[in-house]
């Protein structure tokens, strides 16, 4: 029973990665004049951006600290995806006022998606911060800090069409030295009706493929064993040496206009994946997030072709009902989504791990439509998922067009039904792994015991096994002998 409770804790950790958890950067002490403390909320992209911010600030006479009380500069890198994400940051900001009272010279800045969404509001109306910078304004931070030093409040929330921070090497202060995240694109053009991201992160743009490959090569040289390529919709990655072609839509337009594309270099996501996988057979390559409307067989075939591309796809469904999906402006139907799942199973087999994002209680969702989400889960049998109830976001299409008319009580009950079903399926999927041998990349010691190591298999499942003489960064073959709904346990096979 106890074990089960602990494992549920692990699952909760997993389900929180899109918002509730926050991360701080550890101490660096290189004799710089001032100290920066950053707390990062939201998705992996925000965590990744904080590494870029730290890199910019360390070039500008700041060291980092993990203690806000010791800091000269405090940044909250914020998330705006759901209302409770923003509430949490507001509480944090209130709390930080006490730090400022003790040390009035401390500068407090808000970065990221909530900064972009609220713009002047935090700065002027609520007067609780000194600096506001949106996701595309981080190069400007040293100037903004100079303005604050001169006694002004400073803000830059311009969204860019081409900023990708391609030339800035992120400082990986929080890393376990084994796996790293590499941002391959920024922004999002999809306009899902519930989602604030297109407003907070701006237009979609793909990062120069050469700079991605260089960053991955550098990571390999430093001993990293795993990279996760990050984008809101990695399947629409498209980089070309012609700056007019910065997205798939732009490529189509260029072809229509008769632009000669023969002599320019164009790299799509499947091709990028291949180039990254090719860097080293010892490097495990992951990516997130795939969008069902764009995920094509070329990507799946590339995954099948290279052993070192992880056999795991995060394929958010959001709903299992086609009318709701249409209202969500997701660009696919239930049937299309299930066809994509069929392709995954055809090309990569039963072995491939699949996870989802699902939203309970979107505007006007009926009880039958909610049942369609549950039946979609029954058809797919996901390994795990990230589950939310709908939270209306200002400025989004849904906010403008549809009343948020499902009561909180009903939203919560539907969400619980989705979570219960996922727990059932996670356990079933994990039980299927018992008796199998999987290749685990060791990330470190198990939290519960130093005699055990913790790692992940290709399907992204956490595997715990006895330490022997293995260490962080090793690949180890483990035969699974037991499982819970969030974790596999096994013995080393030599
Ligand atoms: N780009 C990714 C998702 C990024 S946001 C994709 O398209 O799948 C992560 C998840 O947060 C979404 O998949 C969605 O399930 C959830 N989400 C986004 N906006 C939300 C809202 N207004 N209310 C509840 N959940 C939301
Ligand atoms: Fe939001 Fe949709 Fe873009 Fe994902 S694809 S970030 S859900 S608008
Ligand atoms: Fe949140 Fe922005 Fe990521 S809204 S989920 S931090 S893109």
């Amino acid at each position: 029973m106890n074990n089960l409770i602990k494992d549920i804790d692990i699952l909760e950790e997993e389900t929180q990665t899109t918002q509730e958890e926050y991360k701080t950067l550890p101490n660096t002490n290189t004799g710089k004049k001032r100290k920066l403390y950053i707390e990062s909320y939201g998705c992996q992209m925000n965590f990744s951006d904080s590494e870029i911010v730290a890199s910019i600030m360390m070039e500008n006479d700041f060291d980092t600290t993990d203690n806000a009380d010791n800091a000269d500069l405090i940044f909250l890198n914020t998330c705006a995806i759901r209302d409770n994400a923003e509430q949490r940051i507001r509480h944090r900001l209130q709390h930080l006022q006490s730090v400022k009272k003790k040390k009035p010279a401390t500068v407090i800045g808000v970065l990221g998606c909530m900064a972009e969404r609220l713009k002047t509001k935090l700065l002027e109306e609520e007067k609780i911060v000194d600096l506001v910078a949106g996701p595309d304004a981080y190069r400007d931070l040293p100037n903004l800090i100079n303005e604050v030093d001169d006694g002004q409040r400073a803000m830059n929330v311009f969204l860019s069409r081409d900023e990708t921070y391609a030339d800035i090497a992120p400082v990986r202060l929080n890393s376990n030295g084994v796996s790293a995240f590499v941002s391959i694109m920024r922004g999002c053009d999809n306009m899902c009706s519930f989602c604030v991201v297109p407003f907070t992160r701006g237009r979609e743009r793909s990062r120069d493929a050469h700079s991605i490959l260089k960053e991955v090569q550098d990571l390999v040289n430093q001993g990293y064993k795993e990279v996760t390529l990050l984008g809101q919709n990695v399947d629409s990655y498209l980089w070309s040496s012609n700056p007019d072609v910065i997205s798939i839509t732009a490529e189509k337009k260029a072809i229509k206009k008769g632009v000669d594309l023969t002599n320019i270099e164009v790299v799509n996501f499947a091709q990028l994946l291949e180039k990254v996988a090719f860097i080293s057979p010892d490097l495990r390559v992951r990516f997130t997030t795939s969008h069902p409307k764009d995920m094509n067989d070329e990507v799946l075939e590339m995954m099948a072709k290279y052993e070192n591309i992880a056999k795991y796809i995060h394929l958010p469904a959001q709903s299992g009902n086609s009318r709701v999906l249409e209202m969500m402006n997701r660009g696919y139907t239930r049937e299309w989504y299930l066809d994509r799942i069929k392709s995954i199973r055809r090309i990569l087999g039963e072995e491939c791990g699949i996870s989802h994002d699902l939203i309970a209680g979107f505007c006007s969702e009926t009880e039958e439509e909610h049942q369609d989400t549950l039946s979609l889960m029954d058809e797919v049998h996901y390994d795990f998922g990230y589950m939310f109830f709908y939270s209306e976001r200002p400025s989004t299409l849904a906010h403008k067009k549809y009343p948020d008319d499902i009561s909180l009580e009903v939203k919560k009950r539907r969400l619980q039904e989705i979570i219960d079903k996922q727990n059932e399926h996670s356990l079933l999927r994990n039980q299927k792994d018992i008796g199998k041998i999987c290749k685990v990349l060791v990330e470190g010691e198990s939290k519960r015991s130093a005699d055990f190591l913790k790692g992940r298999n290709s399907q992204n499942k956490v595997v715990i096994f006895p330490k022997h003489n293995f260490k962080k960064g090793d690949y180890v073959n483990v035969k699974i002998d037991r499982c819970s709904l969030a974790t596999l346990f096994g013995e080393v096979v030599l």
Side-chain angles (χ1 to χ4, degrees), residues 11-165:
L11 181 75
E12 303 230 316
E13 249 172 56
E14 298 276 4
T15 57
Q16 284 177 356
T17 48
T18 39
Q19 66 149 341
E20 280 84 0
E21 271 307 300
Y22 72 81
K23 286 191 182 166
T24 59
L25 291 180
N27 291 310
T28 52
N29 225 330
T30 58
K32 304 269 171 64
K33 260 204 333 247
R34 295 198 274 182
K35 289 225 176 273
L36 160 71
Y37 168 85
I38 311 188
E39 226 168 72
S40 316
Y41 295 78
C43 63
Q44 199 53 59
M45 299 209 184
N46 248 18
F47 299 147
S48 227
D49 281 0
S50 289
E51 299 180 330
I52 288 174
V53 169
S55 171
I56 293 172
M57 299 314 296
M58 288 173 81
E59 292 283 308
N60 281 276
D61 235 7
F62 279 88
D63 272 325
T64 57
T65 168
D66 61 2
N67 181 351
D69 291 331
N70 295 340
D72 302 290
L73 172 60
I74 298 176
F75 280 155
L76 299 190
N77 192 0
T78 61
C79 175
I81 200 84
R82 283 166 289 274
D83 184 56
N84 56 359
E86 288 199 2
Q87 290 312 330
R88 187 144 183 245
I89 288 157
R90 282 179 185 283
H91 285 139
R92 251 334 250 158
L93 281 171
Q94 292 303 340
H95 174 78
L96 288 174
Q97 298 308 303
S98 62
V99 177
K100 196 152 171 127
K101 253 198 196 132
K102 271 191 259 163
K103 225 171 105 184
T106 316
V107 175
I108 298 182
V110 179
L111 315 180
C113 292
M114 189 175 162
E116 187 64 48
R117 194 180 84 68
L118 293 173
K119 301 190 169 59
T120 51
K121 198 165 184 291
L122 292 165
L123 211 54
E124 285 162 9
E125 290 170 32
E126 304 184 14
K127 295 203 184 340
I128 46 178
V129 301
D130 306 296
L131 180 157
V132 170
D136 286 345
Y138 299 148
R139 281 181 206 271
D140 197 28
L141 283 170
N143 299 326
L144 296 173
I145 287 159
N146 284 342
E147 284 178 36
V148 174
D149 287 343
D150 288 344
Q152 300 161 44
R153 290 174 188 262
M155 178 172 87
N156 183 343
V157 286
F158 287 114
L159 286 172
S160 156
R161 285 194 74 105
D162 50 19
E163 177 63 273
T164 57
Y165 300 110

Side-chain angles (χ1 to χ4, degrees), residues 237-253:
Y237 175 88
L238 189 97
W239 175 81
S240 95
S241 53
N242 178 339
D244 291 335
V245 183
I246 51 160
S247 66
I248 287 184
T249 341
E251 185 191 34
K252 282 186 191 148
K253 275 190 196 153

Side-chain angles (χ1 to χ4, degrees), residues 18 81-82 194-195 232 289 291 316 318 330 357-359 388-391 393:
T18 39
I81 200 84
R82 283 166 289 274
F194 52 80
C195 184
Q232 293 296 357
T289 301
H291 196 303
Q318 315 299 1
R330 287 287 289 178
D357 288 349
L358 285 168
I359 298 178
F388 316 97
F389 61 75
Y390 173 58
S391 162
R393 307 310 291 129

Side-chain angles (χ1 to χ4, degrees), residues 313-361:
I313 298 184
H314 180 55
L315 197 66
Q318 315 299 1
S319 166
N321 175 272
S322 296
R323 187 192 74 91
V324 175
L325 286 168
E326 163 102 49
M327 281 178 67
M328 288 176 162
N329 199 25
R330 287 287 289 178
Y332 55 87
T333 57
R334 175 190 175 99
E335 291 67 36
W336 173 277
Y337 185 91
L338 284 171
D339 176 72
R340 298 290 73 224
I341 297 288
K342 231 195 226 161
S343 275
I344 297 173
R345 293 289 175 234
R346 176 171 51 81
I347 297 167
L348 296 161
E350 267 304 307
E351 302 289 292
C352 184
I354 307 179
S355 62
H356 65 77
D357 288 349
L358 285 168
I359 298 178

